[in-house]
C-alpha cells in the first residue's frame, strides 16, 4: 500500500503515493515533485486536466495560474496561501500541501457556484446602488428638462451606448432628449411618427414594452439615433416611463453591434430604471403644472406696479408677513380715470389674518371693487355694497379699508378720503408738518350696516398723502424687541419726507419699519403714497426708459 498524500490541512510527511481510496477522491489532486515534475494525479484531476505523470508543471496543459503558484511556492520556500483560477470554464481554489522531500500536493476545490452567486450578488448590489443613485439624482430637482437630461445621461452611461427620451406629444411634436455614453446631452422638439419604432406608440400610451428581440435595429428612423452615434446598432430596448396615472414618456436604449445584445436580465433592469425615472419625471411635470396654475392665479393677487397718472405720483410697497410668501391680507389698487378730468380711484385695505386664506379674500374684495368702479364717486355706496358682498359669502373674515378719489386741478391735488375701520391717512405738508386726515368709519364684513365719514384734503406741490396698514405701526422690535414702531415714530419719520417723490416716501417707511423689526416676526405691511410732484409739471413721466401716458397702461394700473 502506498501512503496517502494526506489532506490540505494535514499533509503526510515522506514519500507520496496514490491508493485506491485516494484515487477516487471527488476533488482533483495533483502531486508535483521538488523539480516541478508531475508525479501522480487522481481520476478527478485526469478528467479535468489532460496531464500524465512525467509532465512538467510548465506544460501547456497545466493552467497557467496553477503553474505560477507552484513556482512561487518553491522559490519562497515557505507555506503558501490558497490560490484560485479557472480550469475549463470552471472556478477552483487550489490548496498546497508540502512534504519533507519537496513534494507538493495540490488540492483543487471547485467553487464555481459560490463565485457565480457572488458575482450575481455583486451585480444586484451594483444595480441597487444605481437605482438609489437614480432616485437621488432625479428627486433632487423638480425641473422637467433637468430630470430628462439626468435620466438620459445615466441611462447612456450605465445601461447602453446611447439613450433617447421621447416625451409625451405637444401637439404634433415630441420633445426628444439624446445622450451618448461618451457625449453631451441634447434636446430638441421634432415631429415624430411613433409607429416608425416598434412598440413606441404603445409605450407612449403606457402599455408594457415589447421584447428587445422583436425590434429590428435596421428599421430605426434617423430621429431615433443620436447624432454622432457610430457603427451599426445591434440591440434596442423601448420601455415606457410610467407616471402618475399617465405615462411620463418613453426610454429608448441603443447598443452597438460590437457589444453583446441586451440580455433578459438587462431588459428587466431597464424597466426598473425606467420606473424610477418615470416617477420623478411625472412628479416634475405635475409640479410644473401646479406652478403654472399658481402663477396664473397669483398674477391678480400680487400688488400692482404704480406710477404717475394724470400728473399725480403714486407709489406702493408691500411686504408679506412671511418672507417666503408673496401675497397676504394687505393690498392696494389704483384705478385711473379715463382722463385728467375724472377722478382716480385708490384703495388700500387690510384683511384679517395672513397667508393664502387672507389673500383669497383680498382677491375677492379687489374684484368686487373693480366691478363697483362706476359707483366710485359715492364712497358710502361702495362700502355698503362691498359689505353686503362679504356678509353673503362663506368667509368669516373682515377687512378695513381706505378709499381715495384723486383729481388734479390748477396745480392742487384734491382728495376725498374715506376710512372704513382703518388707520386714517397721514398728510405730509411741504414744510414738514404731518397731519391726520379727519376720516373714520366701521370695518367691512362684520356688521349689517356700514357708516363712514369722508374727509376732503388738498395737496400743494411737494405734499404727500400716505396710506398704510397696521403692519407698519405694530411692527414689534426696538432695542428689546418688544416695542411697537407706533404712530409717533411714523410721524417723526415722515417729517423729513416733505417734497420727496412718492417712491422715496414709501421706501423710507418700509426701510425704517424693517430696521425696527430686525429679525422679528411681523404682520403684512403695505404703504401707498399719493404725491403732488414738487415740480408741478404735466402727466408725462419716464418709466423704464419709456413715457407713460393715458394711452399706455402699465401692469397693475387699470385705466
Amino acid at each position: 500500500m502506498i501512503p496517502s498524500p494526506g489532506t490540505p490541512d494535514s499533509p503526510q510527511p515522506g514519500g507520496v503515493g496514490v491508493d485506491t481510496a485516494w484515487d477516487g477522491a471527488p476533488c482533483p489532486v495533483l502531486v508535483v515533485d521538488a523539480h516541478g515534475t508531475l508525479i501522480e494525479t487522481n481520476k478527478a484531476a485526469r478528467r479535468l486536466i489532460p496531464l500524465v505523470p512525467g509532465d512538467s508543471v510548465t506544460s501547456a496543459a497545466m493552467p497557467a495560474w496553477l503553474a505560477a503558484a507552484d513556482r512561487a511556492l518553491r522559490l519562497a520556500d515557505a507555506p503558501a496561501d490558497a490560490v484560485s483560477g479557472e480550469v475549463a470554464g470552471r472556478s477552483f481554489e487550489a490548496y498546497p500541501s508540502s512534504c519533507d522531500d519537496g513534494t507538493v500536493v495540490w488540492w483543487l476545490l471547485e467553487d464555481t457556484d459560490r463565485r457565480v452567486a457572488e458575482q450575481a450578488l455583486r451585480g444586484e448590489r451594483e444595480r441597487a446602488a444605481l437605482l438609489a443613485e437614480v432616485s437621488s439624482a432625479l428627486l433632487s430637482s423638480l425641473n422637467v428638462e433637468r430630470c430628462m437630461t439626468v435620466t438620459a445621461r445615466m441611462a447612456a452611461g450605465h445601461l447602453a451606448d446611447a439613450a433617447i427620451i421621447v416625451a409625451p406629444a405637444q401637439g404634433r411634436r415630441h420633445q426628444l432628449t439624446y445622450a451618448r455614453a461618451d457625449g453631451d446631452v441634447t434636446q430638441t422638439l421634432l415631429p415624430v411618427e411613433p409607429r416608425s419604432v416598434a412598440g413606441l406608440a404603445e409605450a407612449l400610451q403606457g402599455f408594457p414594452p415589447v421584447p428587445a428581440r422583436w425590434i429590428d435595429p435596421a428599421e430605426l428612423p434617423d430621429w431615433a439615433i443620436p447624432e454622432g452615434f457610430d457603427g451599426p446598432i445591434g440591440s434596442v430596448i423601448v420601455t415606457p416611463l410610467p407616471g402618475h396615472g399617465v405615462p411620463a414618456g418613453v426610454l429608448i436604449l441603443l447598443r452597438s453591434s460590437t457589444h453583446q445584445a441586451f440580455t433578459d436580465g438587462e431588459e428587466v433592469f431597464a424597466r426598473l430604471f425606467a420606473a424610477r425615472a418615470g416617477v420623478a419625471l411625472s412628479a416634475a411635470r405635475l409640479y410644473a403644472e401646479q406652478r403654472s396654475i399658481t402663477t396664473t392665479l397669483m398674477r391678480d393677487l400680487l400688488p400692482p406696479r404704480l406710477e404717475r397718472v394724470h400728473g399725480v405720483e403714486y407709489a406702493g410697497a408691500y411686504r408679506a408677513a412671511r418672507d417666503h410668501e408673496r401675497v397676504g391680507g394687505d393690498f392696494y389698487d389704483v384705478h385711473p380715470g379715463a382722463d385728467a378730468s375724472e377722478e382716480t380711484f385708490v384703495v388700500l385695505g387690510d384683511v384679517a389674518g395672513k397667508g393664502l386664506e387672507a389673500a383669497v379674500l383680498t382677491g375677492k374684495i379687489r374684484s368686487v371693487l373693480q366691478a363697483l368702479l362706476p359707483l366710485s364717486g359715492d364712497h358710502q355706496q361702495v362700502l355698503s355694497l362691498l359689505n353686503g358682498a362679504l356678509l353673503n359669502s362663506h368667509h368669516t373674515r373682515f377687512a378695513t379699508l381706505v378709499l381715495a378719489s384723486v383729481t388734479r386741478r390748477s396745480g392742487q391735488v384734491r382728495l376725498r378720503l374715506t376710512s372704513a375701520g382703518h388707520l386714517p391717512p397721514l398728510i405730509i405738508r411741504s414744510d414738514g408738518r404731518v397731519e391726520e386726515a379727519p376720516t373714520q368709519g366701521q370695518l367691512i364684513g362684520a356688521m349689517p350696516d356700514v357708516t363712514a365719514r369722508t374727509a376732503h384734503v388738498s395737496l400743494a406741490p411737494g405734499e404727500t398723502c400716505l396710506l398704510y396698514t397696521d403692519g407698519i405701526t405694530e411692527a414689534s422690535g426696538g432695542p428689546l424687541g418688544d416695542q411697537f414702531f407706533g404712530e409717533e415714530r411714523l410721524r417723526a419719520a415722515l417729517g423729513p419726507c416733505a417734497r420727496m417723490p412718492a417712491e422715496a416716501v414709501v421706501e423710507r417707511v418700509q426701510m425704517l419699519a424693517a430696521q425696527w423689526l430686525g429679525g422679528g416676526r411681523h404682520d403684512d405691511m403695505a404703504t401707498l403714497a399719493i404725491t403732488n410732484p414738487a415740480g408741478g409739471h404735466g402727466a408725462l413721466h419716464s418709466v423704464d426708459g419709456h413715457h407713460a401716458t393715458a394711452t399706455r397702461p402699465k401692469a397693475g394700473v387699470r385705466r
Side-chain angles (χ1 to χ4, degrees), residues 30 38 45 48-52 55-67 86-88:
L30 295 88
L38 187 67
L48 180 66
I49 304 173
L51 291 173
V52 296
D55 288 341
S56 171
V57 293
T58 59
S59 170
M62 176 70 80
W65 61 272
L66 185 56
E86 289 190 359
V87 181

Side-chain angles (χ1 to χ4, degrees), residues 66-91:
L66 185 56
D70 186 79
R71 289 195 302 272
L73 175 63
R74 299 178 190 284
L75 292 174
D77 193 23
D81 296 329
V83 294
S84 60
E86 289 190 359
V87 181
R90 296 155 61 187
S91 178

Side-chain angles (χ1 to χ4, degrees), residues 7 47 78 105 115 127 130 142 224 252 312-313 316 348 399 401 409 467 503 510:
T7 67
R47 288 194 299 266
V105 180
R115 290 189 179 275
R127 293 186 178 95
L130 176 57
L142 288 175
I252 301 176
V312 181
E313 285 185 1
L348 179 139
L401 297 173
R409 296 286 187 275
L467 314 181
E503 187 173 354
Q510 289 281 351

Side-chain angles (χ1 to χ4, degrees), residues 24 100 105 219 288 290 412:
D100 294 342
V105 180
E219 295 182 356
Q290 291 177 339
Q412 297 284 316

Side-chain angles (χ1 to χ4, degrees), residues 95-181:
Y95 294 87
S97 297
S98 298
C99 301
D100 294 342
D101 60 355
T103 301
V104 177
V105 180
W106 287 98
W107 302 79
L108 275 63
L109 303 180
E110 185 173 3
D111 62 350
T112 303
D113 293 341
R114 179 176 64 83
R115 290 189 179 275
V116 169
E118 287 178 348
Q119 184 176 2
L121 179 60
R122 186 163 50 252
E124 289 302 320
R125 285 176 176 172
E126 291 174 355
R127 293 186 178 95
L130 176 57
L131 291 178
E133 182 183 355
V134 169
S135 299
S136 176
L138 293 177
L139 295 178
S140 64
S141 173
L142 288 175
N143 181 278
V144 177
E145 282 69 25
R146 172 171 169 75
C147 281
M148 289 194 293
T149 297
V150 172
T151 299
R153 179 181 291 117
M154 297 188 74
H158 297 282
L159 305 181
D161 297 320
I164 304 98
I165 294 178
V166 183
Q170 301 178 25
R172 296 183 177 181
R173 298 189 295 177
H174 293 261
Q175 184 171 357
L176 304 176
T177 303
Y178 297 94
R180 301 196 318 271

Side-chain angles (χ1 to χ4, degrees), residues 127 237 255 260-271:
R127 293 186 178 95
I237 289 178
R255 183 169 284 179
Q260 179 185 1
F262 291 111
T263 65
D264 292 342
E266 288 174 327
E267 285 193 62
V268 171
F269 182 71
R271 296 176 193 174

